[in-house]
Amino acid sequence: MLSTALTASLPTYSSVAQGNQSDWRHVDNWQSWQQVGQAQLSILFFDIYQSRLLTPSGIYQQQSFDVTPHPLALTIEYQRNISQEQLLDATFEQWLKLGFAKQDAKRWIDQLSAIFPDIKSGQTLTYVTNGSTGKFVYSPRPSQSRHIGSISDESLNDAFLSIWLSPKSEYADLRQQLIGMR
């Protein structure tokens, strides 16, 4: 499931929801949030990435079908090179497995293609959400990070994080580890 590989790329794709600017004041300090859980994705003998889920309180609480009822950050450190095309294909595949409509998934992939880059082993991509909208932070090196794109569509925000946080996620064990249940 390379789709669960987040990424960043290309020039900044800026579409932060203008109406939610005040909400971002509470999430701009996401680096200081507490870890809820972490998980390692490996397929066969290949390590793909290490992921961590952070929230202001260190607790993740899903409410009914809303996988992002509160601010959270999902950080993925890649352990192998993954092309933009592989990331987009895997993301699309995961959305179909989760039951999202094909036309929605295609529309969302078009938006992510303006954000996702080719990613190299050791690079990190973080998706930070205020619960409604989100932004991608790309770290090509541990000491460098930059905002590379934003998501203002709440349905895309939830669909993207559903890959890891939905009870229907293909990788149930990883989900359990990320949300602090193991």
Side-chain angles (χ1 to χ4, degrees):
M1 168 184 143
L2 294 175
S3 91
T4 35
L6 289 176
T7 32
S9 157
L10 308 177
T12 300
Y13 178 80
S14 146
S15 64
V16 170
Q18 299 301 318
N20 289 332
Q21 289 294 352
S22 63
D23 294 346
W24 284 107
R25 286 181 290 161
H26 305 292
V27 297
D28 281 338
N29 65 341
W30 64 269
Q31 293 98 332
S32 65
W33 290 354
Q34 297 177 43
Q35 181 172 296
V36 176
Q38 66 180 22
Q40 171 69 48
L41 177 65
S42 299
I43 298 177
L44 298 175
F45 302 106
F46 301 102
D47 291 337
I48 309 298
Y49 62 73
Q50 177 76 36
S51 55
R52 295 184 314 130
L53 185 65
L54 310 170
T55 66
S57 67
I59 297 170
Y60 173 74
Q61 297 179 338
Q62 182 172 341
Q63 299 172 353
S64 64
F65 296 108
D66 186 2
V67 296
T68 60
H70 53 74
L72 59 87
L74 178 69
T75 297
I76 296 179
E77 181 180 339
Y78 292 89
Q79 296 167 310
R80 59 186 305 107
N81 297 343
I82 300 174
S83 71
Q84 178 195 45
E85 182 178 358
Q86 288 173 309
L87 286 169
L88 293 170
D89 289 348
T91 300
F92 184 77
E93 175 185 314
Q94 287 304 307
W95 283 334
L96 295 182
K97 288 180 180 180
L98 286 165
F100 288 102
K102 194 172 189 176
Q103 72 256 24
D104 289 335
K106 284 181 179 181
R107 181 172 42 86
W108 297 333
I109 288 297
D110 287 344
Q111 291 178 49
L112 293 179
S113 69
I115 299 171
F116 283 3
D118 292 327
I119 197 142
K120 304 276 188 246
S121 180
Q123 296 179 335
T124 301
L125 184 67
T126 301
Y127 186 71
V128 183
T129 180
N130 61 14
S132 302
T133 61
K135 63 182 179 179
F136 289 95
V137 178
Y138 173 62
S139 302
R141 291 185 194 68
S143 61
Q144 296 178 334
S145 64
R146 68 180 187 269
H147 172 249
I148 58 161
S150 299
I151 301 300
S152 59
D153 176 353
E154 187 170 2
S155 62
L156 173 51
N157 178 74
D158 288 348
F160 184 73
L161 288 167
S162 288
I163 294 169
W164 296 270
L165 301 178
S166 170
K168 297 188 299 184
S169 173
E170 179 177 6
Y171 298 99
D173 287 343
L174 261 65
R175 176 187 182 269
Q176 292 295 310
Q177 292 171 38
L178 278 175
I179 65 173
M181 299 301 287
R182 285 196 185 169

